[in-house]
Amino acid sequence: MSFKMAATSVYRVLACSRSKLLTPFVCRGVSPNVSQIAARQLTLISVRCSTSFVGKVTANELWEGVTSVSNAGRKRGRGKSVKRKLDLNRGQRIGMGKSGMVFPGLTGPALVGKKLVDIHQVKPQEEEETAAPVIPKRKTLKIPALQRGYSGRKYPGTSIGSPDPINDYVFEDFDTKVLEYKMVSHMTGNLGRKMRVSTLVVTGNKQGLAGYAVAKSPMGKAALRKAKNMAGQRLQFIELYEGHTVFHNFAVTEGRTKIFVEKMPKGYGLDCHRIIKTICEIIGIQDLQAKVEGSDGNVQNICKGFFRGLMEQETHQSLADRVKLHVVEFRPELENVPVVVASPSHGEVNLEPIKEEAFDFDNMYYEDGKIPLKKAEDPLRLHRQTEAHWRTYLKNNRDRNQVQARYQRMIYGLEPSSEELKQRAKPLK
Amino acid sequence: MAASIPMINTIMKRILILGSKHNTGQCRTTNLTWCRTLMQSQRRYQEESEAQENSEEDLTPKRKIVDPETSIRYVHSPEFVKGYGDKPVWFHYRRNFKGKIPPPTRENCIRQGEIATASPCPICRDEYLVLDAKNIKLLEQFICPHSGEIFDSMKTGLCQTQQKALTVSVMRAQDQGLLEMKLPFRTYDYEDYKS
Amino acid sequence: MAASTTFRCSSLSSACRLLFQKQTAGYRQLRFLSSSSQDNSASDAVSAAPENEERDPFPVFVQPRVQELLTRITGFDLMKVAGPQKKPLQRPIYKLMTDEQLNAELSSAKERLQHRLQMPPYMKPRRPHLTPLSVDPELAGFDKSNYVFVDISFGVKDRKRSVVIREVDGTLRVAPWDVKERMNQIYNPREGRHVVKPSMFEEANLERMISEKRYQYVLDRACCQFEPDDPDFIRTTHRVYNAVDQCGDYEHLRSTRHFGPLAFYLAWHSSIDGLLVDMLDRDKAQDARDLVVLFADVHPDSSCAAAISELPQQDDDVAVIKTYLATDCKNKDKVELSLRAMVDSQRSKGKTQNSSL
């Protein structure tokens, strides 16, 4: 038997089997006699002495063996973390690879009529025309940037719509945001670890009405829905000063979490922890400064504490009524002209003035007279770390005191163009 | 050209320059091993033969250049309101960065006439927004109505080139009287004028 | 060739330090170096009236009686004077006050804000310096550009600062006004003032601002940028006052620092009728009387002034206005109509008050 014949016989045998998982066996650099023996040995092996699963078991059956869980096992909670079976041949066209080689008997018929088909290469262009369409691998949709939460594809920070209507009441203009979404578990006797999703959600209409709630459920979406509706039933009205900020500074302690809140002027923005920022946006606060200290990762305590602080605020009117004096505001943008913000309701104003030392509006709402420590911040601190840092800063900011002057020169047409500046920077010949 | 399927790729090349004598304008320290990243976005992955055929097409800029008058008309048009609502153009823009503290905004979104990033700044992403001294409605969106100061690029997300263009446009508008600037109160001493 | 670089300028103090600048050729090409003589002639043409050239309005403006009249006419709306201003964001301060304290604070605020109603001086345009300080032809050709010498001694006021130019042909002269102001801004920078004149004050831009009725901003910026006797300042302010008078937009400037100079301008140019009608329409009888008295003070030789001095009761508003009507009034019909309307409304108010009593 010639080499070719031996090889062909091997292929024929292998091609006859039903298994899809085949690799072509090619004899190279072997003398014809040896190939004959090899071929016979192969045929012998494949027919008589094989105990392996190769060539006998289908892909499906193999996957079943790895991934399936018995009914008893499922009762005991097995098989939760097992992956699904994959179709490895998805999108593939069996027999056709990148190079476009055709192996007779393997990828196509070995004999065409009486003629033996040779191992040859098919042109790649024909290959592309007949190629299967590439199936996209994305399972879930891409979230647009503006609808992302705090990070990635996670729930915290995302919006989940308004609470479901209750009888006739429709929650118009209400938006709900997820603050916390976590998997919590407890151990059971039968099933072992039982997982649930716990979510903290805050809902509000951006005009003072807001509420928060925690809800749990084995399914994430159910937990969110529960929490949203619970929050909708636990609304609180929060008084705001001119609709954009709190009435005064305050500090709140909830567990090991401390929140220091400062009232800010219009246009300042929300300089806060992201949880507090989200809550402020839901309530309608636009200008605030808040610092969370201690346990700053405890979202539930931050939320509870902040709400408590807001509810315990004293409005200017109630302050005026309590102290029986006019509450007068001095604004720098109005040249510090006194503006009466609140007067005692029944017109009964005290005749004796309050002592200047006894009244400090900025710090009077802190408990036990403990005033938050304010450290002077150096904006160039990072640049002053070492001498080298400072030199780099100076080199990179040569016009640090001249930025405005440079812009003025540009307007008057005195500033040279960037090309000319580059030319000037070159060393003299 | 028709045969090849155009694949929109972002190809990022990092130029490794060791102890270079290059014009390292972007370098921050002297002992740098890498210089700057080149981003080529939205280019077609072509064969060489096709590139030769299409070399003429490639010369035209991908990003349309719009004149200020058209921009002014756009900013006053209903399409603008449809796209941006009643919020400023930078309101519906989210920066991409890792971590909590945002880094300073990039130098430039546009390189060689085309957008070179996946998330360009609010002005660069809309070619009909041109920062010009006459385009007051657009400029006012970047000025704080309470303090009269231009918003920092950390707040609006503008790239540094556009931030500089904004500053210069605002100063030009103030020079021509289109925008009001903050004026100090001038006190006179009548005795100076009596001589 | 005597190196006469020491210049004889009597206004120099003995301990002055000098700084000199080369006025380069390139500098000249730029727009801010328009020659002062050109500016002066243009502005003189605009503001030229026979009275202005002859009489200096500033001594009249500064008289205590005139100042008092102008202050009264201006009025005082606390909230309008105070703001709202654009300042760096700062939290408001809160205080608890009794009625007494509140009133005290309000009155002190009013006193404090009086300074914001200080009127910019009303002056006639300044004249260019024509005669040189010294002519030294032997110094001619010492350099290709002029030299500017600036006195930067501490404590020297801008108006008194010595700025002289040694020109290429050897002449030493007091620097032209625009050069002097540029030097003032460079060596004594002031916020709101620019080295280069803002293009807002050019004709086209100014007309646009005026058509948009942004009178207060234009005048405020003119005060910051120019000196009161600068021809540009006078041109700008007079243009604004004319526009306000023509459109009747007096309320824009009422209770600001510019209302006094506006009233003075109208009185100086004998065209107070528009403002008078506006005051009478708003039932401001005392303001109307003050305006007429101002007119009399500004033109002491007029028949109106004589008639008012002869009045037995100078406190009677209506009588004073009627004397003006009879003598120097130009739009008699309008003024008479408004006067009658005001008198009628006052009478009816008086009646209702009496009836309620």
Side-chain angles (χ1 to χ4, degrees):
Chain A
M1 226 182 349
S2 72
F3 167 68
K4 265 190 187 175
M5 286 292 286
T8 321
S9 69
V10 167
Y11 296 147
R12 200 184 292 142
V13 166
L14 293 174
C16 286
S17 93
R18 278 169 289 163
S19 172
K20 285 185 185 173
L21 291 175
L22 291 173
T23 50
F25 178 75
V26 178
C27 283
R28 272 199 203 138
V30 179
S31 64
N33 289 329
V34 174
S35 69
Q36 275 179 34
I37 298 159
R40 257 185 265 125
Q41 274 178 345
L42 268 175
T43 46
L44 284 168
I45 288 165
S46 65
V47 168
R48 210 211 303 166
C49 305
S50 168
T51 51
S52 80
F53 61 84
V54 174
K56 287 183 186 170
V57 188
T58 62
N60 216 26
E61 287 163 353
L62 283 171
W63 275 107
E64 283 286 316
V66 181
T67 60
S68 70
V69 180
S70 63
N71 283 336
R74 215 165 271 286
K75 270 188 204 168
R76 286 171 160 273
R78 308 282 176 266
K80 292 271 175 168
S81 59
V82 174
K83 291 169 188 170
R84 292 189 293 173
K85 60 176 100 164
L86 298 173
D87 181 12
L88 292 172
N89 303 317
R90 189 181 69 165
Q92 284 177 348
R93 216 171 141 247
I94 294 297
M96 292 299 199
K98 280 186 192 168
S99 53
M101 294 297 292
V102 173
F103 295 97
L106 194 70
T107 59
L111 290 171
V112 173
K114 280 192 179 176
K115 197 180 168 190
L116 195 71
V117 179
D118 217 350
I119 299 169
H120 68 278
Q121 189 174 23
V122 170
K123 285 179 195 172
Q125 270 176 4
E126 292 167 21
E127 192 56 38
E128 274 185 60
E129 278 167 0
T130 52
V134 175
I135 301 161
K137 283 188 181 177
R138 190 179 280 285
K139 289 178 196 173
T140 47
L141 293 167
K142 189 174 179 180
I143 299 173
L146 292 170
Q147 282 147 40
R148 285 200 293 254
Y150 298 141
S151 89
R153 307 180 67 87
K154 301 189 168 70
Y155 274 111
T158 57
S159 172
I160 51 171
S162 55
D164 300 330
I166 303 169
N167 296 333
D168 297 333
Y169 187 78
V170 175
F171 286 92
E172 275 178 30
D173 303 327
F174 269 77
D175 186 27
T176 320
K177 287 224 166 147
V178 182
L179 296 182
E180 193 182 47
Y181 181 100
K182 54 187 185 184
M183 296 287 280
V184 294
S185 66
H186 67 286
M187 298 299 282
T188 55
N190 294 344
L191 302 167
R193 186 162 281 114
K194 212 176 174 186
M195 305 292 282
R196 281 199 294 180
V197 173
S198 164
T199 60
L200 169 67
V201 133
V202 67
T203 189
N205 71 348
K206 297 187 182 164
Q207 281 164 28
L209 268 181
Y212 67 94
V214 177
K216 294 181 198 148
S217 174
M219 300 304 292
K221 288 208 169 157
L224 289 172
R225 188 177 31 84
K226 254 190 185 177
K228 184 173 72 172
N229 294 328
M230 275 171 78
Q233 292 185 357
R234 284 157 175 75
L235 296 175
Q236 306 169 42
F237 181 70
I238 291 147
E239 293 266 6
L240 295 176
Y241 170 73
E242 289 190 354
H244 74 98
T245 191
V246 293
F247 281 94
H248 53 77
N249 302 348
F250 60 86
V252 182
T253 307
E254 182 79 33
R256 297 289 290 187
T257 308
K258 292 194 185 110
I259 310 170
F260 296 97
V261 172
E262 279 185 27
K263 171 194 167 93
M264 281 297 156
K266 221 168 187 179
Y268 185 84
L270 292 168
D271 180 17
C272 320
H273 192 285
R274 67 190 187 188
I275 298 295
I276 297 181
K277 197 169 177 180
T278 309
I279 298 171
C280 286
E281 283 165 6
I282 291 282
I283 293 170
I285 297 171
Q286 289 146 31
D287 310 291
L288 199 78
Q289 213 263 321
K291 181 90 182 80
V292 177
E293 283 177 18
S295 185
D296 58 358
N298 193 330
V299 176
Q300 289 188 21
N301 279 358
I302 294 172
C303 181
K304 281 184 209 170
F306 188 59
F307 266 94
R308 185 159 61 84
L310 288 174
M311 291 304 288
E312 286 175 0
Q313 275 184 98
E314 186 177 42
T315 61
H316 292 319
Q317 187 59 56
S318 48
L319 173 64
D321 291 337
R322 179 168 67 86
V323 183
K324 294 199 174 55
L325 289 169
H326 297 289
V327 177
V328 183
E329 185 188 64
F330 294 85
R331 281 182 185 271
E333 55 264 27
L334 286 175
E335 286 286 318
N336 290 324
V337 162
V339 176
V340 175
V341 171
S343 291
S345 320
H346 304 290
E348 34 180 71
V349 186
N350 273 353
L351 295 169
E352 268 187 46
I354 204 165
K355 280 183 193 166
E356 195 79 25
E357 309 88 59
F359 172 73
D360 181 11
F361 188 80
D362 287 344
N363 297 322
M364 64 189 264
Y365 293 100
Y366 295 120
E367 284 170 9
D368 306 327
K370 283 183 186 172
I371 298 166
L373 174 68
K374 289 265 180 190
K375 289 182 189 171
E377 217 189 270
D378 179 15
L380 298 177
R381 182 182 60 87
L382 289 170
H383 297 293
R384 284 191 225 276
Q385 284 176 68
T386 66
E387 268 293 317
H389 280 88
W390 186 243
R391 270 186 269 120
T392 311
Y393 167 73
L394 293 177
K395 189 179 167 193
N396 290 332
N397 295 279
R398 284 193 198 280
D399 63 348
R400 60 194 172 278
N401 294 323
Q402 287 280 316
V403 182
Q404 287 297 316
R406 187 160 62 88
Y407 287 140
Q408 283 285 347
R409 284 197 297 273
M410 284 165 82
I411 287 164
Y412 300 146
L414 295 170
E415 179 78 0
S417 61
S418 53
E419 287 84 27
E420 191 177 340
L421 285 170
K422 277 181 196 162
Q423 190 68 29
R424 287 188 190 180
K426 286 182 185 169
L428 298 169
K429 283 178 188 172
Chain B
M1 232 286 264
S4 68
I5 303 162
M7 292 193 284
I8 294 170
N9 272 329
T10 44
I11 308 157
M12 204 154 84
K13 287 182 197 167
R14 203 164 273 169
I15 303 172
L16 285 161
I17 302 166
L18 296 160
S20 76
K21 291 171 192 173
H22 254 258
N23 178 16
T24 54
Q26 300 286 333
C27 286
R28 294 280 176 262
T29 65
T30 46
N31 300 325
L32 211 51
T33 51
W34 65 271
C35 210
R36 63 182 180 133
T37 52
L38 284 182
M39 299 276 281
Q40 294 168 15
S41 63
Q42 297 175 6
R43 271 195 183 276
R44 295 176 169 214
Y45 189 67
Q46 292 174 339
E47 299 296 325
E48 275 181 29
S49 53
E50 287 166 348
Q52 281 168 14
E53 284 169 24
N54 302 326
S55 57
E56 285 176 20
E57 275 185 44
D58 285 344
L59 284 173
T60 57
K62 303 288 178 184
R63 187 177 185 271
K64 191 175 173 181
I65 295 167
V66 166
D67 62 323
E69 283 75 30
T70 315
S71 181
I72 294 165
R73 274 191 292 123
Y74 168 67
V75 170
H76 287 92
S77 69
E79 282 77 36
F80 181 82
V81 176
K82 205 172 164 186
Y84 294 102
D86 56 350
K87 300 280 186 200
V89 297
W90 49 265
F91 191 82
H92 296 293
Y93 174 71
R94 183 167 169 168
R95 287 186 67 197
N96 294 329
F97 57 90
K98 302 248 189 291
K100 290 182 188 175
I101 302 157
T105 52
R106 62 172 72 92
E107 234 4 87
N108 208 345
C109 308
I110 299 166
R111 284 164 222 236
Q112 292 174 353
E114 57 180 36
I115 303 259
T117 66
S119 176
C121 70
I123 295 285
C124 292
R125 67 181 177 181
D126 189 346
E127 63 263 38
Y128 286 94
L129 293 176
V130 175
L131 289 168
D132 187 69
K134 290 166 275 178
N135 203 348
I136 308 161
K137 198 175 174 202
L138 182 61
L139 295 180
E140 276 173 352
Q141 292 189 347
F142 293 90
I143 299 170
C144 179
H146 308 286
S147 67
E149 286 162 9
I150 300 173
F151 289 128
D152 194 25
S153 57
M154 296 293 273
K155 182 168 175 129
T156 56
L158 291 191
C159 61
Q160 292 310 310
T161 320
Q162 292 294 356
Q163 184 71 12
K164 280 176 200 162
L166 170 68
T167 312
V168 172
S169 305
V170 167
M171 288 175 87
R172 267 192 234 274
Q174 286 171 346
D175 182 58
Q176 290 171 27
L178 296 159
L179 280 175
E180 293 198 2
M181 53 192 292
K182 287 193 287 186
L183 294 170
F185 184 81
R186 169 135 185 218
T187 313
Y188 294 95
D189 185 2
Y190 284 10
E191 299 303 316
D192 293 344
Y193 304 98
K194 278 180 180 169
S195 59
Chain C
M1 183 171 97
S4 49
T5 49
T6 55
F7 49 94
R8 304 153 224 129
C9 184
S10 56
S11 60
L12 270 180
S13 62
S14 57
C16 75
R17 283 169 294 131
L18 301 179
L19 213 77
F20 78 91
Q21 264 199 352
K22 262 189 169 180
Q23 207 176 34
T24 55
Y27 238 33
R28 277 182 213 265
Q29 289 159 15
L30 300 164
R31 66 176 167 96
F32 58 78
L33 208 65
S34 58
S35 64
S36 58
S37 55
Q38 260 183 4
D39 268 353
N40 278 343
S41 58
S43 52
D44 281 352
V46 166
S47 63
E51 292 166 280
N52 285 358
E53 296 229 3
E54 291 167 5
R55 289 178 67 199
D56 186 7
F58 189 62
V60 180
F61 182 77
V62 159
Q63 283 170 20
R65 194 169 133 82
V66 168
Q67 285 284 302
E68 199 197 314
L69 287 167
L70 291 172
T71 317
R72 278 218 295 262
I73 293 172
T74 307
F76 189 83
D77 178 2
L78 186 63
M79 279 306 161
K80 189 172 177 181
V81 175
Q85 295 172 40
K86 290 195 179 166
K87 283 193 170 170
L89 296 176
Q90 228 182 316
R91 292 151 49 104
I93 295 165
Y94 289 90
K95 290 188 183 170
L96 290 169
M97 286 181 172
T98 58
D99 287 329
E100 208 185 303
Q101 279 177 317
L102 183 63
N103 291 332
E105 277 288 342
L106 273 167
S107 54
S108 78
K110 278 181 184 165
E111 268 181 53
R112 192 163 40 86
L113 291 180
Q114 284 293 338
H115 90 277
R116 284 188 75 83
L117 289 178
Q118 187 201 38
M119 292 177 266
Y122 188 100
M123 300 174 78
K124 67 174 181 182
R126 61 199 174 196
R127 295 260 158 231
H129 304 284
L130 295 168
T131 45
L133 292 168
S134 114
V135 182
D136 301 303
E138 57 266 22
L139 284 174
F142 64 90
D143 203 335
K144 286 178 189 169
S145 53
N146 297 343
Y147 282 15
V148 178
F149 293 85
V150 184
D151 176 11
I152 58 163
S153 311
F154 180 76
V156 173
K157 292 204 173 178
D158 278 354
R159 281 188 80 79
K160 301 275 187 289
R161 204 181 290 280
S162 298
V163 182
V164 295
I165 285 187
R166 175 70 77 181
E167 288 173 357
V168 178
D169 63 357
T171 329
L172 182 74
R173 57 174 79 248
V174 175
W177 289 105
D178 62 333
V179 174
K180 180 173 179 178
E181 295 206 329
R182 197 156 28 92
M183 293 302 125
N184 277 334
Q185 177 57 17
I186 290 168
Y187 294 108
N188 183 22
R190 206 172 64 205
E191 210 198 317
R193 185 169 67 171
H194 296 269
V195 174
V196 175
K197 186 175 90 172
S199 57
M200 185 176 113
F201 297 108
E202 284 163 17
E203 282 299 323
N205 286 328
L206 188 62
E207 292 306 314
R208 180 178 42 80
M209 301 282 287
I210 285 168
S211 65
E212 288 171 6
K213 307 216 177 198
R214 289 159 69 185
Y215 308 119
Q216 198 178 346
Y217 178 68
V218 172
L219 292 170
D220 281 338
R221 196 154 182 206
C223 285
C224 289
Q225 179 66 31
F226 303 116
E227 289 295 301
D229 56 357
D230 190 330
D232 277 318
F233 177 80
I234 291 166
R235 174 179 61 85
T236 312
T237 50
H238 287 194
R239 180 73 196 87
V240 173
Y241 299 150
N242 274 329
V244 168
D245 191 32
Q246 273 166 24
C247 301
D249 293 326
Y250 307 102
E251 196 61 26
H252 280 82
L253 293 182
R254 196 167 263 127
S255 195
T256 64
R257 71 190 311 198
H258 306 289
F259 197 82
L262 164 71
F264 192 87
Y265 168 82
L266 295 171
W268 190 262
H269 290 86
S270 309
S271 49
I272 61 167
D273 295 343
L275 182 54
L276 198 61
V277 165
D278 181 78
M279 283 170 174
L280 292 170
D281 288 341
R282 290 173 201 273
D283 291 341
K284 293 187 183 198
Q286 206 194 7
D287 284 0
R289 197 205 88 209
D290 284 337
L291 184 61
V292 171
V293 171
L294 172 73
F295 176 79
D297 284 348
V298 166
H299 302 281
D301 303 329
S302 65
S303 48
C304 179
I308 285 168
S309 58
E310 284 164 15
L311 273 181
Q313 260 185 312
Q314 298 216 352
D315 290 342
D316 187 2
D317 306 340
V318 181
V320 170
I321 299 166
K322 277 187 174 166
T323 31
Y324 169 72
L325 258 176
T327 50
D328 287 309
C329 186
K330 286 168 189 170
N331 290 330
K332 286 195 178 149
D333 303 329
K334 263 190 180 176
V335 178
E336 207 171 332
L337 198 67
S338 299
L339 181 63
R340 238 184 261 167
M342 190 201 76
V343 167
D344 289 339
S345 69
Q346 274 186 345
R347 259 187 224 152
S348 58
K349 272 185 197 170
K351 272 184 189 172
T352 49
Q353 273 179 355
N354 284 335
S355 62
S356 63
L357 286 168

